[in-house]
Amino acid sequence: MTELGFQLYSARNFPPLSETLKKLAAAGYKTVEGYGGIYATMDDAALEGLRADLDANGLKMPTGHFGLDLLEKQPEQAFKIAKVLGIEAIYCPYLMPDQRPTDAKGWYAFGQRLAEAGKRYQDAGYVFGWHNHDFEFQALEDGSTPQEQIFAGGPDLAWEADIAWVIRGKADPFSWIEKEVKRIQAVHVKDIAPNGENTDEDGWADVGHGIVPWRDLMAKLRHTSAKHFVLEHDNPKDVDRLISRSIASFQTY
């Protein structure tokens, strides 16, 4: 059975983290995904404490999100985080609006920048890649998309495909999966509420309780190189509900 991990960003509004880890373990999760807000500035003792907390709950952290500044300017810290926490795959997750290129040439150059930033991590044995949102699928003036240009500029980049954001970007997830079958190393599993519902949760839904066709998507995704499937909800109002309902749905796929 394919296992479902949990992106810890989903529980950022429900501290403490130690309690979240206990809940995840009790619900049957085996892996979690970290992000910079948790560990980017942790000292050695705090990192070791987090690793001990993961171990105590039988959890592993095979994937993690690392901001571009950390990856480019503080590689020693990034390597330390990955080593202590047991991270195997590093994904750059976002680019602020004021930093985004406006044309195909700029996005191609950004792909080259990502590839250059990731080379030291790839050389050290880590998977390195990009995690998308919706803006990468908005057509540029030449008809291409930022996502296409990023991958053209960084042909060796892995992709953590956030399927629900692909859909929100008005793109076809099935065609993107087919197109990037070898590049997809991880997948964010999230759901979109029917139009007009869950407005207090930014229109997201627990997996299996929205409109994303996850059963069909999983059938397609099993033909990719994806090793990790990670639950995410950007703004849940009930994290216990998210944890329990999502894994129950996922286990039927």
Side-chain angles (χ1 to χ4, degrees):
M1 181 183 294
T2 303
E3 290 185 352
L4 182 65
F6 185 89
Q7 167 52 259
L8 294 173
Y9 180 79
S10 307
R12 69 194 181 284
N13 295 324
F14 301 91
L17 176 59
S18 58
E19 288 303 309
T20 296
L21 297 180
K22 291 177 184 177
K23 291 176 180 179
L24 291 169
Y29 293 80
K30 303 297 182 185
T31 64
V32 296
E33 181 172 76
Y35 68 103
I38 292 176
Y39 48 53
T41 59
M42 274 187 172
D43 60 21
D44 292 0
L47 280 172
E48 293 290 352
L50 176 54
R51 176 57 189 265
D53 216 358
L54 291 170
D55 291 346
N57 287 286
L59 295 168
K60 296 184 182 298
M61 189 184 286
T63 62
H65 285 188
F66 289 67
L68 191 55
D69 277 354
L70 177 65
L71 293 166
E72 290 183 326
K73 299 175 182 177
Q74 296 178 278
E76 299 85 359
Q77 175 72 357
F79 275 120
K80 183 190 299 180
I81 292 167
K83 181 178 180 181
V84 172
L85 298 180
I87 293 171
E88 303 165 359
I90 294 170
Y91 292 102
C92 185
Y94 193 63
L95 193 62
M96 295 296 289
D98 62 348
Q99 298 177 341
R100 295 173 194 167
T102 58
D103 58 19
K105 183 178 179 180
W107 282 109
Y108 183 90
F110 177 68
Q112 292 178 310
R113 178 184 174 187
L114 271 179
E116 181 62 28
K119 189 174 186 307
R120 58 166 61 93
Y121 303 101
Q122 291 171 325
D123 288 348
Y126 294 93
V127 171
F128 181 87
W130 177 249
H131 165 272
N132 68 279
H133 286 74
D134 57 347
F135 60 85
E136 296 93 329
F137 300 92
Q138 306 303 311
L140 299 167
E141 190 172 337
D142 71 346
S144 69
T145 62
Q147 191 74 83
E148 291 173 279
Q149 297 298 338
I150 291 170
F151 288 158
D156 294 328
L157 291 170
W159 184 21
E160 181 176 54
D162 192 312
I163 301 298
W165 275 123
V166 173
I167 295 170
R168 280 201 166 179
K170 303 288 193 290
D172 177 4
F174 292 96
S175 64
W176 272 96
I177 292 167
E178 186 170 339
K179 181 179 179 181
E180 301 295 349
V181 64
K182 294 182 179 179
R183 195 190 296 269
I184 297 172
Q185 298 282 324
V187 177
H188 264 200
V189 180
K190 63 203 299 183
D191 216 329
I192 301 171
N195 190 39
E197 295 185 15
N198 293 12
T199 56
D200 58 345
E201 297 185 276
D202 299 338
W204 301 112
D206 300 343
V207 172
H209 295 266
I211 63 171
V212 177
W214 273 110
R215 188 177 306 280
D216 294 337
L217 285 163
M218 285 302 299
K220 194 83 168 176
L221 286 162
R222 287 197 173 91
H223 296 288
T224 71
S225 299
K227 299 177 179 65
H228 304 289
F229 293 83
V230 184
L231 167 65
E232 186 181 52
H233 187 310
D234 287 37
N235 190 27
K237 64 181 181 182
D238 184 339
V239 75
D240 297 318
R241 185 205 68 201
L242 171 69
I243 287 170
S244 62
R245 295 211 303 179
S246 296
I247 196 169
S249 295
F250 188 79
Q251 288 172 343
T252 70
Y253 305 148

